[in-house]
Amino acid sequence: AGVAQEERHHQEEDPDHPVLTVLAGGGKEKIGNLKAHCPSIDILGINSYGPAALVNTMLDDAGWEKAYMLTEFGPRGPWEILHMPWGAPVEPRSGDKVVDYVSAHRSALADVHGRCLGTFCFLWGNKQEATSTWFGMYLPTGEKTPAVDAMGYEFTGRWPANRSPQIHSFKSALAFDRVPAGREFTATVETSDPEKDDLAYEWQVVPESTDRKSGGDREEAPPVVAGCIRGPVGAKVTVRTPDQPGAYRLFVFVRDGRGGGCTENLPFFVQP
């Protein structure tokens, strides 16, 4: 009752602006309670990742008839993805992230009831959450990724003058496996660039994050392990596994020197 009174008070004090609240996910119970106890809500905000392309169906099932916005969406999160036996979530590939962004946005705007007022990508920036690259539409060093290009096209109907490079395959025998310490493996990445820019490659071995938080709270990024990348650095490198047992990731960062980049990583585990 107190919440409903506060909504009515807000509308009386500021009748020119609608009242919005945001839910993580949705469903019949949450939205049913919102309708029953907060009837003055004008717009519903939904934060959704894996099921984001199905939000319209979820709202239909829950009986939500008012306007809504997709207030947070992006690639599938670490909580809804395959995990390795040692607990490491497998980060979606860069191309799969683009598909997640575009399909969620297009599905929301295609609502046959016309309820969707707009969408908000997560994240137009970069942050450490599970990894340093999972939700960042920009690399930690500031370059835009293909997700930025794709969503820019969705919002404006135009591709940027310089599009980001793309990763087509990323392979190594150490990927998704338990491997010995101090052993050398080859890693290769196949890429392309729409403008055929010369590409620069950076490789890193990083321990699996142990500073995992909930709800998007700030996490500390684990440090790069020195001495793991051997020989010339390019689209093919030699990787020496760390001496210390534990869970790690092999990252590759690709940059075009003109503000565009892309990245992927492969988890592996060093045996005791």
Side-chain angles (χ1 to χ4, degrees), residues 17-98:
H17 295 87
V19 178
L20 176 145
T21 193
V22 176
L23 299 179
K28 289 185 178 181
E29 183 176 2
K30 279 185 181 180
I31 294 176
N33 287 333
L34 190 70
K35 291 170 63 178
H37 302 292
C38 304
S40 299
I41 294 293
D42 300 301
I43 305 170
L44 177 60
I46 295 289
N47 295 352
S48 183
Y49 289 83
L54 302 175
V55 164
N56 290 328
T57 300
M58 180 273 293
L59 293 175
D60 290 342
D61 292 343
W64 183 261
E65 298 177 348
K66 296 181 181 180
Y68 86 93
M69 292 188 286
L70 190 55
T71 41
E72 197 174 298
F73 71 102
R76 289 161 292 161
W79 61 90
E80 50 193 3
I81 204 80
L82 173 71
H83 284 62
M84 300 307 299
W86 53 88
V90 179
E91 185 168 340
R93 299 194 61 214
S94 56
D96 294 336
K97 291 181 180 182
V98 171

Side-chain angles (χ1 to χ4, degrees), residues 179-232:
V179 296
R183 184 73 59 84
E184 291 189 348
F185 293 85
T186 298
T188 59
V189 62
E190 293 182 5
T191 60
S192 67
D193 185 85
E195 295 78 36
K196 302 190 183 304
D197 294 324
D198 292 332
L199 300 178
Y201 299 85
E202 180 186 4
W203 299 80
Q204 298 177 356
V205 172
V206 178
E208 188 69 24
S209 173
T210 57
D211 187 32
R212 297 289 298 277
K213 302 292 175 53
S214 62
D217 288 348
R218 184 177 182 275
E219 300 176 5
E220 293 292 336
V224 176
V225 181
C228 291
I229 308 303
R230 302 299 182 94

Side-chain angles (χ1 to χ4, degrees), residues 99-124:
V99 171
D100 287 341
Y101 279 110
V102 172
S103 62
H105 171 76
R106 290 184 179 179
S107 296
L109 295 187
D111 178 31
V112 296
H113 306 294
R115 292 168 296 187
C116 184
L117 302 181
T119 72
F120 297 80
C121 299
F122 186 83
L123 171 73
W124 289 96

